[in-house]
Amino acid sequence: MITHNPGRKPALTPAAFLIRGLVAGLLAGLIGFAVAFAFGEPHIDDAIGLEEAAAAHLTHEEMQAEEAEADKPGMVEISRDNQKSWGLLTGMAVVGTALGGLAALASASVIGRLGRVSARGSTLLVGGIGFVSVALVPFLKYPATPPAVGSPDTIGHRTSDYFALLLVSVLAAIAAVVVARRLSGRFDGVNAALMAAGGYVVVVVVAGLLLPSVDELGTFPADTLWYFRRASLLTLASIWATIAVALTLLVGKLYDDATADAERRALAASL
Amino acid sequence: MSQSSAAPLAPAVELPAIPLLQIGTWVVFYGLLAMLAIFFVSADQGAISLPAGNAVHEWVHDARHLLGYPCH
Ligand SMILES: [Zn+2]
């Protein structure tokens, strides 16, 4: 019984995976913060500069409306210095840690169920699927936008459309893994994986065509937009790459220890 | 799930798998917690406001933009 061994350290339990996922995720959040701060913040500053230049041309009534909004209870002003340092760090650490834990539970679910793929290989695969389904696919339909882009009137449906596509993408990715596993009985493992991946692409492309597009750029400069989006994608990629690599190392070690432990006890039992 | 027989027979090929029912409990409870945490960074005080005002939104503002969530 590998899952119940009181007194023994390397037990293969969901909790052992989760704690490793939280550690890998926190590390990913810190690295995501460093990448976002170095490559993303300069373009956020540019975008806010444009926003403020536009605000200089507001009419008297528009300015009064903004001031009335800012005077409502619960409204605070946070300095740019705090937003781009501690605020950015908070957001990256929270999301990185949350995603790391989810990736670890996904890894715990697939290890031992993907034919001859090892614990390390399975965990790396979960990281790759996580990046594509959670970050890349939603980004391709609804790319990140810098401040000054986007109308406050449409934030409701832009948010629900984004999360609808995210949900479809994640569910389709989970379904693709289940389908690949079924097909691997009839086909070669690689072919089964390619067929399931093709199915995933069809589902998210159809979802992307059905969901409404966003067209709110106005006259925002194309180069600043591209630099911002490139930095955003780099940030997401660095978070998922860190989760994948760190979790693979930690889970690999966990399996090595558990296997050595099981072999030792099997040997002891045979004597 | 016959994990007990995996180790002595074919340790290099057959990996022990954790029973899905055992993972399911963790997925439900941790999943809710993780989604709540992601909600505060990604959407709170934008489309939906849990505590009224803008303090959460303003504090995580840059992360929300750079992680690709719709902000404003
Ligand atoms: Zn914003």
Side-chain angles (χ1 to χ4, degrees):
Chain A
M1 275 293 157
I2 283 159
T3 48
H4 313 280
N5 51 353
R8 296 276 185 166
K9 247 191 313 159
L12 295 178
T13 59
F17 275 82
L18 183 55
I19 189 86
R20 282 159 180 80
L22 297 176
V23 169
L26 181 60
L27 183 68
L30 298 179
I31 290 188
F33 164 72
V35 171
F37 184 83
F39 298 102
E41 282 298 342
H43 310 302
I44 290 195
D45 285 338
D46 288 350
I48 288 174
L50 292 167
E51 202 173 30
E52 280 167 1
H57 300 288
L58 289 180
T59 64
H60 187 65
E61 285 74 28
E62 284 169 327
M63 255 153 56
Q64 276 183 327
E66 286 211 345
E67 278 164 20
E69 181 70 22
D71 285 340
K72 280 186 188 167
M75 300 304 263
V76 297
E77 178 128 26
I78 289 164
S79 75
R80 282 298 302 144
D81 278 346
N82 274 329
Q83 276 185 333
K84 65 206 270 187
S85 56
W86 299 111
L88 179 66
L89 180 62
T90 308
M92 292 290 167
V94 167
V95 170
T97 309
L99 292 176
L102 292 173
L105 291 180
S107 163
S109 313
V110 297
I111 289 178
R113 296 192 167 89
L114 299 178
R116 274 175 296 161
V117 183
S118 67
R120 288 182 172 84
S122 305
T123 307
L124 211 51
L125 188 68
V126 164
I129 293 174
F131 171 67
V132 171
S133 62
V134 178
L136 183 62
V137 162
F139 190 96
L140 292 176
K141 170 74 181 175
Y142 298 116
T145 54
V149 171
S151 154
D153 303 333
T154 59
I155 184 63
H157 83 73
R158 279 186 290 123
T159 302
S160 55
D161 293 346
Y162 177 92
F163 284 100
L165 181 59
L166 176 63
L167 185 68
V168 169
S169 176
V170 170
L171 292 179
I174 294 169
V177 173
V178 174
V179 167
R181 198 168 163 257
R182 290 269 168 85
L183 289 177
S184 68
R186 240 178 305 160
F187 304 93
D188 169 68
V190 175
N191 289 338
L194 287 175
M195 281 184 258
Y200 168 77
V201 171
V202 170
V203 170
V204 292
V205 165
V206 169
L209 290 171
L210 292 176
L211 285 163
S213 296
V214 178
D215 179 15
E216 299 181 350
L217 287 178
T219 57
F220 193 86
D223 51 355
T224 307
L225 181 68
W226 164 242
Y227 298 146
F228 173 83
R229 285 181 171 167
R230 192 176 56 184
S232 170
L233 198 54
L234 189 66
T235 302
L236 291 167
S238 66
I239 289 172
W240 278 100
T242 309
I243 289 177
V245 172
L247 193 60
T248 297
L249 292 173
L250 293 171
V251 166
K253 178 79 170 60
L254 179 71
Y255 262 76
D256 287 349
D257 291 351
T259 308
D261 195 57
E263 278 171 3
R264 234 187 344 265
R265 271 178 299 143
L267 185 69
S270 70
L271 290 177
Chain B
M1 297 294 137
S2 59
Q3 326 113 327
S4 51
S5 63
L9 291 176
V13 181
E14 289 235 332
L15 278 173
I18 302 176
L20 286 179
L21 211 62
Q22 199 184 339
I23 304 173
T25 323
W26 288 83
V27 170
V28 170
F29 287 105
Y30 176 75
L32 284 173
L33 195 67
M35 283 197 289
L36 189 68
I38 292 173
F39 164 75
F40 278 109
V41 178
S42 66
D44 191 29
Q45 295 172 345
I48 313 163
S49 278
L50 268 190
N54 69 345
V56 177
H57 177 124
E58 285 292 302
W59 185 252
V60 298
H61 175 265
D62 288 23
R64 186 173 296 183
H65 277 279
L66 280 162
L67 288 168
Y69 300 113
C71 182
H72 55 220

